[in-house]
């Protein structure tokens, strides 16, 4: 059973540029969520995808967008990068169940630095 | 915004001692989960407790949930140096089968050999 893999592990971008982060879900999982974790803070929910559609969004501007593909992998795109976008970006996959919810499997994250 | 608030913010104990970490939250929940994070890497799911449960055990972990007080505690017994990490509680709201997780700021646990 493979876990969640994210690429790249580290990235440095210039303010104003665009970035794409990638995530491969754990085998058998059909839901993927993205989180942003600033230094010294807890992760903040960006959005979730289920069946290739956005299924909930946190308090992030529209320049944060995403995709989920038929194989359940996902991309996070951020346009017009700002310095405050520097953070660890975490992808998490899970299996939708009808009742009770379940735990998430997180990837190791992509450390984005905007200069 | 942070739903969960962990307490204490930092905890330092000797190997072999027990570590107790607390979490309080503000709204009704579907479940509460605890995660561990080593040195800014990915989160590892430790244990999940549903809103209709009061206590769960998993190996050296014991978690309790008091929905009337909107609080949870995580106990790690017989701590090891390898338990050194940041610990987060996260709540899932009672909407939908799998909804977003709302995390606290985390507790830094240091276990001295």
């Amino acid at each position: 059973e493979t876990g969640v893999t994210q690429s790249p592990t580290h990235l440095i971008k210039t303010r104003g540029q665009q970035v794409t982060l990638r995530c491969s879900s754990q085998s058998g999982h059909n839901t993927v969520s993205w989180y942003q974790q600033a230094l010294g803070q807890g992760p903040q929910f960006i959005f979730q995808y289920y069946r290739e559609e956005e299924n909930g969004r946190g308090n992030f501007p529209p320049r944060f967008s995403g995709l989920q593909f038929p194989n359940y992998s996902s991309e996070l795109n951020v346009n017009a990068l700002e310095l405050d976008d520097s953070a660890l970006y975490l992808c998490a996959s899970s299996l939708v169940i009808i009742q009770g919810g379940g735990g998430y499997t997180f990837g190791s994250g992509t450390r984005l630095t905007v200069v | 915004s942070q739903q969960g608030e962990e307490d204490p913010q930092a905890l330092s104990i000797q190997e072999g001692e027990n570590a107790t970490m607390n979490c309080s939250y503000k709204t009704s929940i579907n479940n509460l989960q605890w995660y561990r994070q080593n040195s800014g890497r990915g989160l590892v799911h430790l244990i999940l407790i549903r809103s209709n449960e009061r206590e769960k055990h998993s190996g050296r972990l014991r978690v309790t949930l008091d929905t009337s007080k909107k609080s949870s505690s995580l106990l790690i017994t017989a701590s090891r140096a390898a338990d050194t990490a940041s610990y987060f509680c996260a709540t899932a709201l009672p909407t939908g089968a799998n909804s977003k997780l709302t995390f606290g700021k985390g507790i830094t646990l240091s276990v001295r050999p």
Side-chain angles (χ1 to χ4, degrees), chain B residues 18-55:
Chain B
N18 295 340
T20 299
M21 291 169 269
N22 302 301
C23 169
S24 61
Y25 57 92
K26 299 173 184 174
T27 65
S28 296
I29 61 172
N30 181 320
N31 63 68
L32 185 145
Q33 306 178 29
W34 285 89
Y35 287 83
R36 184 186 73 224
Q37 185 176 42
N38 290 85
S39 300
R41 297 185 59 80
L43 296 160
V44 174
H45 179 258
L46 296 176
I47 195 165
L48 179 154
I49 186 165
R50 304 193 192 288
S51 59
N52 61 352
E53 297 174 316
R54 292 296 167 259
E55 185 173 316

Side-chain angles (χ1 to χ4, degrees), chain A residues 79-101:
Chain A
N79 294 322
L81 283 167
E82 301 177 359
L83 297 180
D84 285 348
D85 296 333
S86 296
L88 180 68
Y89 288 85
L90 295 162
C91 171
S93 72
S94 59
L95 178 64
V96 171
I97 58 176
I98 302 301
Q99 295 178 347

Side-chain angles (χ1 to χ4, degrees), chain A residues 2-110:
Chain A
T2 59
V4 174
T5 56
Q6 292 187 243
S7 62
T9 55
H10 296 84
L11 200 54
I12 300 175
K13 288 286 191 177
T14 303
R15 189 172 49 183
Q17 285 187 315
Q18 178 266 343
V19 68
T20 297
L21 309 182
R22 294 179 173 82
C23 171
S24 293
S25 302
Q26 178 167 315
S27 177
H29 284 183
N30 57 10
T31 301
V32 65
S33 305
W34 286 91
Y35 290 80
Q36 180 197 65
Q37 186 179 22
L39 203 60
Q41 300 294 315
Q44 296 283 315
F45 176 73
I46 303 176
F47 42 55
Q48 182 183 80
Y49 278 83
Y50 171 60
R51 292 182 175 173
E52 303 175 47
E53 292 192 358
E54 191 177 286
N55 181 42
R57 187 179 183 92
N59 189 26
F60 281 81
R63 60 189 184 84
F64 285 78
S65 63
L67 286 171
Q68 185 185 30
F69 300 101
N71 65 354
Y72 305 124
S73 65
S74 177
E75 287 182 354
L76 165 65
N77 299 289
V78 187
N79 294 322
L81 283 167
E82 301 177 359
L83 297 180
D84 285 348
D85 296 333
S86 296
L88 180 68
Y89 288 85
L90 295 162
C91 171
S93 72
S94 59
L95 178 64
V96 171
I97 58 176
I98 302 301
Q99 295 178 347
Y104 290 72
T105 302
F106 280 81
S108 296
T110 294

Side-chain angles (χ1 to χ4, degrees), chain B residues 57-113:
Chain B
H57 296 255
S58 177
R60 294 185 296 114
L61 304 179
R62 171 179 170 256
V63 65
T64 62
L65 180 65
D66 187 335
T67 53
S68 66
K69 295 181 179 178
K70 292 187 170 56
S71 67
S72 172
S73 68
L74 174 67
L75 170 68
I76 303 175
T77 60
S79 63
R80 307 166 181 169
D83 295 328
T84 295
S86 294
Y87 291 80
F88 294 89
C89 72
T91 53
L93 298 179
T95 54
N98 251 6
S99 61
K100 68 173 185 177
L101 292 178
T102 305
F103 288 84
K105 292 186 177 181
I107 298 170
T108 301
L109 174 65
S110 297
V111 182
R112 303 185 301 274

